[in-house]
Amino acid sequence: MVHENASPGSKQHQENMESMAGEVIQCIGKGMYNKETIQCFRGIGSEEKYIFRDEEGLKSFGLLSDERKEEDESKYQAINNDKLAYLENVWAVNRNFTGSYSDDYCTLKCNKTACTDKYSTSVVREDESWRGGKALERFDRQPLPDYKRWEDSEKVFDTCFRANPVPSPENLKAIAFIGWVSLEETTQYFDNARKQLTEKRVDDLRRETWKLHPLYKESRATLLNKCTEANLISSGKKYDLVQRMIENQGKAGARKLLTEADLYDGKILSIPNSMAGFMKLSVAHLRAILRRHNILEVGTKDELIARVGLLKAGQPEAAFSRERLCILHYITVAKQIYRNQTEMSSIRRSRTFAHGKEETLTTRNSCLRYMMKNNTPTIDISSSERNLYSILLPLENEVAQQEEKVRSNIDELEKPAKKGSVKVKVQTSKGNDTGSTRRSDRRRKQPAKLQESADLPNHLAHVGTVVDVLWTEEELDGTNWKPGWYRGEYPAIRQR
C-alpha cells in the first residue's frame, strides 16, 4: 500500500489501487499456460492497451432498468491490437467476436449459467457438453458465502433479540457464531436495540400527550405552513411541530407529559376482548400494555395486536414462539453446514477478509475450524471444549426449555375441553338466559346454550371472558350446590 488512510476517490486511493493491480499482474504473470507466460490486460478504457473501448456504452447500459436491460440491443467489439492477437493465439479467442450487453446481463443473472457471490463471479456453459466428460457444479463451494446466502446476520440478530432481548454472555457467543460476526458487533447490536426501545417509549408518551391538543387535528401540511410563517424549524414528526408552535406561544409549560399509567392501568380486564377493540388502540397504547407485562414491544401494529391477544388469552410466553423455533432451526442448519464443511476435501485456495476491525472471516478454507483458533472473538479462550456444539449448546437448551414450557401450558389449557366433563356457554351478549336443565338421565337434545359454543373453543382462552358453566347433579354430588347454570369469568393460567 502506497498511502495509508486514503479516502475513496482521492488521488492517493487511485495510486493504492494501481499498486494493488500491479501486484496482481506480477503474481499471475508467474504462471504458464500452453507454454506461454500468462498475461493480464485491462478490460475497458480509451487507450490502445485496453481490450475494449466501450466504457460510455457500458455506463449507459448500467442506467437502464432490469426490464430494459433484457430488451437492449447494444453490441460491442474488441479492439484489434497486439493483445487481441495474443488472446487468439494462446487462448483461442475469436478475433471477430461481437458481444451483446443484454446477453451478458441475462447470463450473469441466470443461476444456471453464473454463480455470483460477495467475492467472485463464475460463468459456466449453458449446455451439458463438459470437457473431460465429467459434469461440473454450477456454483462455487465457498463455506462462508454459502452460509451468508442462507441467512443474513441482521435477521438472525433481530430474531434472537425478540426471543431474548437480554441474553447471557454464553448466549451472546452463540448468537455471534450464528450471525458470523464478532462478539463486539453482536453486543453493540443488542445495546443499540435496547436503546431504541427506550427512545420509542419516550416518543410514545410525547406523541400521546400532544395528540390531545386541538392543533394536532390539523394536517401536517397546515402545520408546516404555520411553522414556516412563525420562523420555526419545520422538520420532525407531527407532534414535534405542535410542540414547537405551543412553546413559541409560551403555553407549553401548562401541559403535563403523560405517563405509562395514563395509557394503561395494568388491569387485563380493561383490555378489549375483540379484534375491533384492538384495532382502535394506538400503537403507543399497545406498547404500554406489553411493557407493563414485561413483553417485548417491537414490531408492527399487527404484531403488537397479536401479542396483546395472547396476553389476554393468558399465554404471553407464546408471543415469540415462532422466533424460538426459528433459532432452533438456525442452530440445526449451522450444525449441518459445519458437518458438511468438515467433510469437504476440494477446498484449495485460502483468502482472509476483514470484517470491521476484526479479521474473523475466512473463505476457500475450513473457515468453521478457523473459528476455533485463539484470535476468534466469539469463543472463550479458556473453554475446555473448543468445538461448535459447546458454543451453541447453552442457547439451544435455553430456547428449547422456554418453548417446551409454553407448549405444556397450552396442553394444560386444552385438557378441560378434551375431558368434556364441564359444559360451557360463552356470553356473547348481555341479558339473562332462559335455559333450564332436568335431572332426568334420559337421552335428550343438546341445549341451545351448548350448541352456540360447541364450535368456539378458542373463546375460553381469553382471561376475563364471561361464561356460563353447566354443573350436573353427578358433578355436584357431596356438595350443597344445586345443579344448573352458573356464571363466572375465565381466570388467568397459574404458572408453575
Side-chain angles (χ1 to χ4, degrees):
M1 182 176 292
V2 181
H3 306 282
E4 295 185 359
N5 303 324
S7 59
S10 63
K11 182 179 180 180
Q12 292 79 7
H13 181 261
Q14 293 180 1
E15 292 178 356
N16 287 343
M17 298 299 293
E18 290 292 336
S19 176
M20 184 183 299
E23 294 177 359
V24 173
I25 293 174
Q26 183 180 2
C27 179
I28 297 178
K30 297 178 181 180
M32 300 287 293
Y33 179 79
N34 197 17
K35 299 181 180 181
E36 292 284 346
T37 303
I38 298 178
Q39 299 183 26
C40 295
F41 308 125
R42 294 180 180 266
I44 303 174
S46 57
E47 302 177 11
E48 288 297 325
K49 63 180 180 180
Y50 293 92
I51 303 297
F52 298 101
R53 195 185 297 169
D54 60 331
E55 186 173 3
E56 294 299 327
L58 189 60
K59 289 181 179 179
S60 300
F61 179 80
L63 297 175
L64 301 178
S65 62
D66 293 344
E67 183 179 356
R68 294 186 61 186
K69 286 179 181 177
E70 296 179 357
E71 299 175 352
D72 188 77
E73 298 180 355
S74 301
K75 306 292 183 180
Y76 64 92
Q77 290 180 332
I79 302 174
N80 190 3
N81 52 21
D82 296 339
K83 295 178 175 56
L84 181 60
Y86 165 81
L87 294 176
E88 182 181 20
N89 297 330
V90 180
W91 298 91
V93 173
N94 184 9
R95 177 183 289 270
N96 299 322
F97 164 80
T98 300
S100 169
Y101 294 133
S102 178
D103 293 343
D104 295 345
Y105 174 77
C106 294
T107 299
L108 296 176
K109 188 178 179 181
C110 179
N111 294 331
K112 183 180 179 181
T113 56
C115 177
T116 304
D117 55 42
K118 186 177 181 180
Y119 308 111
S120 63
T121 298
S122 300
V123 180
V124 296
R125 60 176 63 249
E126 297 181 0
D127 54 31
E128 300 298 330
S129 301
W130 304 100
R131 294 182 180 180
K134 182 180 179 181
L136 301 180
E137 294 178 334
R138 296 184 179 273
F139 64 93
D140 290 335
R141 286 184 175 271
Q142 299 175 357
L144 179 59
D146 285 345
Y147 186 83
K148 295 297 289 181
R149 277 199 298 268
W150 173 74
E151 194 57 64
D152 182 66
S153 299
E154 187 172 354
K155 185 182 295 184
V156 173
F157 288 160
D158 180 70
T159 302
C160 295
F161 181 78
R162 288 169 178 247
N164 187 4
V166 188
S168 62
E170 292 76 13
N171 289 343
L172 273 177
K173 295 177 184 178
I175 296 171
F177 188 95
I178 298 175
W180 207 272
V181 297
S182 66
L183 181 59
E184 288 75 12
E185 291 176 283
T186 306
T187 304
Q188 183 180 4
Y189 178 91
F190 276 76
D191 292 341
N192 293 337
R194 289 190 291 266
K195 182 179 178 181
Q196 290 178 4
L197 289 180
T198 304
E199 294 175 352
K200 286 182 179 179
R201 175 180 176 274
V202 177
D203 290 342
D204 288 343
L205 295 177
R206 289 181 56 200
R207 181 186 298 104
E208 295 302 315
T209 299
W210 294 106
K211 280 176 65 175
L212 302 177
H213 196 276
L215 275 177
Y216 197 87
K217 297 180 181 180
E218 301 287 344
S219 64
R220 179 179 176 83
T222 302
L223 295 176
L224 289 174
N225 293 333
K226 291 184 178 181
C227 287
T228 303
E229 294 174 357
N231 295 325
L232 300 176
I233 300 175
S234 58
S235 61
K237 300 179 181 179
K238 187 175 181 179
Y239 63 87
D240 292 325
L241 303 178
V242 175
Q243 182 178 0
R244 292 194 194 105
M245 295 179 62
I246 300 303
E247 290 177 349
N248 187 48
Q249 298 173 4
K251 301 179 181 179
R255 183 166 294 275
K256 183 180 178 181
L257 193 68
L258 296 179
T259 62
E260 292 277 310
D262 297 327
L263 300 181
Y264 176 59
D265 57 7
K267 299 179 181 179
I268 295 182
L269 293 178
S270 63
I271 302 176
N273 293 324
S274 63
M275 181 59 67
F278 290 151
M279 295 300 296
K280 292 180 181 179
L281 296 176
S282 65
V283 173
H285 282 81
L286 294 172
R287 289 174 178 166
I289 294 173
L290 295 175
R291 280 193 295 266
R292 180 64 176 81
H293 296 279
N294 297 322
I295 302 176
L296 194 64
E297 68 276 17
V298 298
T300 62
K301 184 174 182 178
D302 292 339
E303 292 176 322
L304 300 178
I305 290 176
R307 291 172 205 153
V308 173
L310 289 171
L311 172 66
K312 183 72 174 180
Q315 294 293 336
E317 297 85 358
F320 296 100
S321 180
R322 180 182 61 179
E323 283 75 10
R324 286 190 291 269
L325 293 176
C326 192
I327 293 174
L328 295 176
H329 180 61
Y330 288 156
I331 295 175
T332 301
V333 174
K335 291 180 178 179
Q336 183 63 38
I337 292 176
Y338 173 75
R339 286 193 293 267
N340 292 343
Q341 297 301 335
T342 55
E343 296 173 359
M344 287 173 55
S345 59
S346 60
I347 305 177
R348 298 179 296 275
R349 293 177 292 174
S350 177
R351 296 184 297 180
T352 302
F353 295 86
H355 190 88
K357 297 182 180 180
E358 297 287 342
E359 292 187 354
T360 60
L361 302 186
T362 302
T363 62
R364 314 285 187 176
N365 201 350
S366 185
C367 57
L368 289 172
R369 277 183 278 179
Y370 175 78
M371 292 196 68
M372 305 303 166
K373 295 184 179 180
N374 295 335
N375 60 350
T376 304
T378 58
I379 301 176
D380 187 6
I381 298 178
S382 61
S383 176
S384 58
E385 297 183 8
R386 305 174 64 80
N387 58 68
L388 169 70
Y389 305 100
S390 64
I391 301 167
L392 299 178
L393 185 60
L395 178 63
E396 184 178 16
N397 288 341
E398 180 176 328
V399 174
Q401 291 174 3
Q402 293 175 353
E403 186 62 22
E404 182 64 25
K405 181 181 178 181
V406 173
R407 293 187 177 276
S408 63
N409 291 338
I410 295 177
D411 293 340
E412 289 291 332
L413 180 64
E414 294 178 349
K415 281 183 179 180
K418 293 180 179 180
K419 291 181 179 179
S421 59
V422 180
K423 293 81 177 177
V424 180
K425 174 187 176 295
V426 181
Q427 291 292 329
T428 57
S429 60
K430 298 181 179 180
N432 297 327
D433 297 293
T434 59
S436 60
T437 61
R438 294 177 296 178
R439 298 188 180 183
S440 174
D441 293 333
R442 291 180 301 172
R443 194 172 184 178
R444 61 185 181 275
K445 186 177 180 181
Q446 189 180 34
K449 292 183 179 182
L450 298 182
Q451 294 180 0
E452 292 179 10
S453 61
D455 298 330
L456 300 174
N458 293 332
H459 284 272
L460 303 182
H462 294 281
V463 177
T465 301
V466 179
V467 297
D468 280 356
V469 181
L470 175 61
W471 293 97
T472 63
E473 183 178 6
E474 180 180 355
E475 294 164 343
L476 296 176
D477 186 24
T479 66
N480 296 327
W481 293 84
K482 295 182 180 181
W485 290 94
Y486 291 87
R487 178 170 298 179
E489 293 182 354
Y490 191 83
I493 300 297
R494 294 182 178 179
Q495 303 294 337
R496 295 180 178 179

